[in-house]
Amino acid sequence: MAKVGMVGIGLMGHGIASNLVKHGHALTVLEHPGNQPLDALKAAGAASVADGASLAAQSDVIILCVTGSPQVEAVLLSAGGVLEGLRPGTVIIDCSTAIPSSTEKVAQAVAQAGGRFLDAPMTRTPKEAAEGRLNLLVGGEAALFEECKPLLACFAENITHAGPVGAGHRMKLLHNYVSLGVIALLSEAAACALRADIDPAVFADVLAKGGGGGVALERIKPYLLEQDPSSLRFFMSNAQKDLSYYNTMAAETGAVREIGAAVLHTYDQAVTQGGGDRYVPELVSLLKDR
């Protein structure tokens, strides 16, 4: 079993960590104020350390599950960070959502320090993370992907090799743009429906039986019908960040992004309204009240 180090025990990371321990891996986590409570993990045998260099010194594989590119770069590259204690051959697996150009820079730094790198961002929610049923989109060398696949399977149900380093993060941004974009479109329509005195149950039922049916509608339907946003526990500020990253990637590749810019603007405005720490389904109410 691999000695696994982990940075970022948040809503998603806690589920990943729990499944690694459940499968018998020796786990050490980085202490951080943003972590979820570590009591259950420590009771199951996990250890903790105070800095990235110490984490790296005792790990064969290090999994990152942090907010975005600035945090990934800080964890790896800062003084006392992971690269200072990295052992030759150690694998860094970045499950965060990141800007692909930053990912390529980080991967190069890891290689120069003697390590190996995969980007493996996730889709699905904290519920699937706890169940060990995440989807992973992996970028990196095919041989390293195959080597790490059994470890990834401890916490993921569907594991896709998207291509070379950076391809995982590119695919994740494409996925989240489509997912959050459809939710933004549905939320704007739902807000209009409320103002037009259309019963939310009728709205949801008609869309489900027609061209509006799908995962996005199912994710926001509990909020439409019962004002329960917990079916998509994803903060509006994270949606804003992911859409910002998508627009950065699109700009860097010279892609058309008129709709992408409009979707980002929608989430920008929601955060400005005070919705940064509210879950994405609550976008319906923010748009209705704007």
Side-chain angles (χ1 to χ4, degrees):
M1 291 292 180
K3 294 179 180 177
V4 182
M6 193 162 172
V7 181
I9 312 299
L11 288 174
M12 301 294 281
H14 196 281
I16 292 173
S18 298
N19 280 288
L20 289 168
V21 171
K22 189 185 302 181
H23 282 81
H25 292 286
L27 179 69
T28 304
V29 303
L30 182 68
E31 295 166 6
H32 190 276
N35 285 345
Q36 294 288 299
L38 300 178
D39 300 354
L41 289 174
K42 289 187 174 181
S48 66
V49 293
D51 63 85
S54 299
L55 185 75
Q58 55 190 271
S59 301
D60 304 315
V61 178
I62 298 172
I63 297 173
L64 310 182
C65 190
V66 297
T67 304
S69 289
Q71 291 78 19
V72 171
E73 293 185 13
V75 164
L76 294 177
L77 308 178
S78 64
V82 165
L83 292 195
E84 283 195 4
L86 199 71
R87 298 185 300 176
T90 298
V91 182
I92 305 292
I93 303 175
D94 182 13
C95 292
S96 316
T97 300
I99 299 171
S101 54
S102 169
T103 301
E104 291 172 342
K105 179 180 76 173
V106 161
Q108 187 174 23
V110 169
Q112 288 172 346
R116 299 178 292 163
F117 183 91
L118 292 175
D119 47 300
M122 310 161 283
T123 68
R124 293 188 167 170
T125 71
K127 177 178 181 291
E128 287 84 19
E131 295 168 350
R133 296 179 49 247
L134 290 170
N135 295 333
L136 295 180
L137 313 170
V138 186
E141 293 180 0
L144 182 58
F145 168 74
E146 292 297 334
E147 179 185 330
C148 294
K149 200 171 179 180
L151 178 68
L152 300 176
C154 292
F155 57 90
E157 181 176 39
N158 299 302
I159 306 170
T160 301
H161 186 220
V165 165
H169 281 145
R170 289 186 174 90
M171 191 62 238
K172 171 64 183 291
L173 295 179
L174 289 163
H175 171 277
N176 278 24
Y177 166 50
V178 172
S179 174
L180 293 167
V182 173
I183 287 173
L185 186 149
L186 290 171
S187 296
E188 190 171 275
C192 180
L194 289 169
R195 284 178 169 262
D197 296 323
I198 295 294
D199 186 323
V202 172
F203 173 82
D205 185 59
V206 170
L207 289 185
K209 292 174 179 175
V215 172
L217 179 63
E218 294 305 310
R219 288 267 171 83
I220 68 168
K221 190 191 292 185
Y223 188 74
L224 296 178
L225 303 184
E226 302 161 10
Q227 287 69 59
D228 176 10
S230 65
S231 57
L232 182 52
R233 293 163 62 199
F234 193 69
F235 292 124
M236 211 81 70
S237 56
N238 282 337
Q240 178 193 36
K241 179 260 299 179
D242 286 4
L243 268 298
S244 171
Y245 284 7
Y246 171 80
N247 276 267
T248 296
M249 179 180 76
E252 289 179 349
T253 58
V256 174
R257 56 188 178 95
E258 279 92 347
I259 298 173
V263 175
L264 174 58
H265 179 71
T266 296
Y267 286 101
D268 282 342
Q269 291 292 99
V271 170
T272 300
Q273 264 180 276
D277 58 355
R278 295 171 72 175
Y279 290 141
V280 163
E282 297 178 82
L283 182 60
V284 175
S285 294
L286 293 172
L287 291 171
K288 176 180 173 288
D289 295 341
R290 188 176 300 170

